Amino acid sequence: MARIVVIGGTGYAGGHIVAEAASRGHDVVSIARKAPQNPIDGVTYVQGDALDVAGLGDALDGADAVVSALSPRGDMSDRVLDALRGLSARLSGTTTRLGAVGGAMGSLSAAGGPRLYDLGVPEEYAHEAEVGIDSLELLEASEGLDWFFVHPPKEFGAWIPGERTGRYRDGGDVVVEDADGNSYISGADFAIAVVDEVEAGKHRRARFTVGY
């Protein structure tokens, strides 16, 4: 059993990660600014601000993995990168892995590139894409930090939740698409990939993409 702390654990990605980790019997801590609408039995819920790492007290202590599932939207638009920077500083030099959920646009369109971002991003999604890219670069530049970074597929979010199938594909650094060019995964199956990574540790100081 691992101790897994999920930052943004009441959001879309974070909530699914919390649920999947708890279902496997892990010691799960969810940190978010708001209390959950539907708390899960056995999960410890902590209300706190990811920008105030010191204010989280001992919530991060002894964690096998801390997963940042923050999304750069709404009032978090300009806060995600600072939160990740603070977590990176706090966990560097420890045995705790730091995982981060990014965006699809930083993944490669094909082996060797270019990135999806380089092929053009609609203006309304540009900021979110840039935060994901900057987050990956922040982790890559870190020292003494065991990290992993997960790119979801192009279609991923509360507007297209889907169902748990128990399957996913790992595309390395290339966006995952099916034979028809669709790029999608349900929130529950995305969470399986994240918790699998926490358990198996296949991607050390590396990123990977997931999808069907």
Side-chain angles (χ1 to χ4, degrees):
M1 180 179 72
R3 177 175 169 81
I4 302 172
V5 178
V6 183
I7 309 295
T10 60
Y12 179 72
H16 281 290
I17 295 167
V18 165
E20 178 64 25
S23 75
R24 302 192 195 187
H26 293 298
D27 176 11
V28 184
V29 178
S30 167
I31 297 177
R33 291 178 295 167
K34 298 180 180 179
Q37 293 184 341
N38 300 296
I40 298 170
D41 289 343
V43 174
T44 300
Y45 290 93
V46 176
Q47 285 188 252
D49 191 335
L51 282 177
D52 182 16
V53 175
L56 297 178
D58 61 0
L60 305 181
D61 293 348
D64 294 286
V66 174
V67 180
S68 174
L70 300 173
S71 178
R73 299 172 184 167
D75 64 354
M76 287 298 295
S77 178
D78 297 315
R79 294 162 54 93
V80 170
L81 197 61
D82 287 337
L84 189 61
R85 185 175 291 111
L87 291 169
S88 176
R90 170 69 172 76
L91 299 176
S92 290
T94 74
T95 58
T96 301
R97 299 187 74 200
L98 176 58
V101 176
M105 293 297 104
S107 53
L108 302 186
S109 59
R115 300 175 300 185
L116 294 178
Y117 180 82
D118 300 319
L119 299 177
V121 181
E123 182 61 31
E124 61 267 32
Y125 301 121
H127 175 73
E128 186 173 341
E130 289 161 3
V131 170
I133 289 169
D134 290 346
S135 295
L136 176 59
E137 290 179 350
L138 185 157
L139 294 177
E140 289 176 331
S142 67
E143 297 182 2
L145 180 68
D146 186 358
W147 59 267
F148 66 90
F149 187 94
V150 191
H151 294 283
K154 297 175 186 176
E155 295 291 331
F156 176 72
W159 64 92
I160 184 169
E163 299 179 353
R164 189 184 194 278
T165 70
R167 63 182 179 86
Y168 65 89
R169 286 192 293 136
D170 177 343
D173 54 9
V174 177
V175 65
V176 177
E177 298 177 319
D178 66 17
D180 297 319
N182 300 309
S183 182
Y184 162 72
I185 197 169
S186 71
D189 288 333
F190 179 82
I192 292 175
V194 174
V195 180
D196 281 355
E197 175 57 30
V198 171
E199 292 180 346
K202 290 176 58 180
H203 304 86
R204 297 282 181 174
R205 290 186 58 85
R207 61 170 169 165
F208 65 104
T209 64
V210 296
Y212 293 134

